Amino acid sequence: NAGVTQTPKFQVLKTGQSMTLQCAQDMNHEYMSWYRQDPGMGLRLIHYSVGAGITDQGEVPNGYNVSRSTTEDFPLRLLSAAPSQTSVYFCASRRTSGSSTDTQYFGPGTRLTVL
Amino acid sequence: DAKTTQPPSMDCAEGRAANLPCNHSTISGNEYVYWYRQIHSQGPQYIIHGLKNNETNEMASLIITEDRKSSTLILPHATLRDTAVYYCIVNDGGSNYKLTFGKGTLLTVNP
């Protein structure tokens, strides 16, 4: 298993540009989520999904869109990038059909800089 | 906001046990205590979790007080590779899959 993969690893954008951060998992996990991590801070939840076709907002959803058309993929879209979105983005997944305490698996992160 | 309180940083000598405390005084009866760690800006990695009994796995031990208001993560023989930020998280499992991360404890293992 590759686990949770994220692309790209690094990205530099100009203010106002749009882009999509990719996240994929090969563990057939129902739940997937996106977090952002600013320097010296813990992770904050942006959006999450409990299955294909179902998404919901987390703690800091403004400026981001998501969709979940397949179990494997959960892309995060920045429609008009702003410097405040400079951060490290982590994708995570877990089963929902197993034990209630199944753990979450995190990807390696995407480091985004918005100029 | 996070329901846990952890010291911002700790030091430990290589080969010694590292004991990382966490206060969760408002924990509910159905909430578990989870520990994750993050090594140098990599994605967080699961370590261990528990409800009320002490737990041990190949990575660490988790000691939960009888009143469940605090816990301690123990790395029995810390190595330089254990230098990381350690997060203590409470969560009821069930259908609440969202993890709430605080700032965690930066553990530095010194040679």
Side-chain angles (χ1 to χ4, degrees):
Chain A
N1 283 351
V4 180
T5 58
Q6 293 184 236
T7 56
K9 290 187 178 180
F10 301 93
Q11 183 70 50
V12 179
L13 293 177
K14 295 181 179 178
T15 297
Q17 286 185 315
S18 64
M19 81 158 295
T20 299
L21 308 185
Q22 301 292 343
C23 174
Q25 51 90 11
D26 62 357
M27 297 173 283
N28 204 31
H29 286 172
E30 299 91 345
Y31 178 81
M32 296 185 73
S33 58
W34 277 101
Y35 292 85
R36 61 175 288 173
Q37 184 174 34
D38 300 320
M41 304 291 289
L43 283 71
R44 292 184 293 168
L45 183 65
I46 305 172
H47 285 285
Y48 64 96
S49 167
V50 296
I54 305 170
T55 64
D56 207 343
Q57 296 181 349
E59 181 186 359
V60 288
N62 292 343
Y64 307 95
N65 277 359
V66 291
S67 60
R68 183 94 179 271
S69 56
T70 67
T71 299
E72 294 79 17
D73 301 297
F74 191 42
L76 179 72
R77 297 185 186 84
L78 284 71
L79 300 179
S80 179
S84 60
Q85 293 178 304
T86 293
S87 191
V88 182
Y89 292 84
F90 292 100
C91 180
S93 74
R94 62 159 281 176
R95 288 191 308 170
T96 62
S97 54
S99 165
S100 63
T101 59
D102 274 356
T103 62
Q104 295 204 23
Y105 295 84
F106 287 81
T110 293
R111 285 147 186 80
L112 176 68
T113 301
V114 183
L115 302 175
Chain B
D1 53 346
K3 302 185 196 177
T4 61
T5 304
Q6 299 177 251
S9 64
M10 295 183 64
D11 287 310
C12 177
E14 189 177 19
R16 299 282 191 162
N19 297 280
L20 291 88
C22 179
N23 286 327
H24 31 78
S25 57
T26 61
I27 192 169
S28 301
N30 62 342
E31 287 185 314
Y32 290 78
V33 179
Y34 290 82
W35 284 83
Y36 282 75
R37 75 179 181 183
Q38 188 175 25
I39 298 173
H40 190 53
S41 298
Q42 297 176 19
Q45 174 192 26
Y46 165 82
I47 302 172
I48 198 167
H49 73 275
L51 183 62
K52 51 186 176 181
N53 296 323
N54 298 339
E55 302 287 346
T56 296
N57 63 19
E58 65 278 4
M59 290 182 68
S61 295
L62 174 60
I63 308 299
I64 302 174
T65 58
E66 193 167 344
D67 64 7
R68 302 205 330 118
K69 292 186 177 182
S70 66
S71 60
T72 301
L73 177 74
I74 301 172
L75 307 179
H77 305 287
T79 70
L80 299 180
R81 289 191 299 266
D82 292 322
T83 293
V85 177
Y86 288 77
Y87 297 100
C88 170
I89 299 168
V90 297
N91 183 279
D92 64 5
S95 60
N96 178 16
Y97 312 115
K98 295 179 280 187
L99 298 178
T100 300
F101 287 82
K103 294 185 179 181
T105 296
L106 172 60
L107 173 68
T108 302
V109 180
N110 300 305

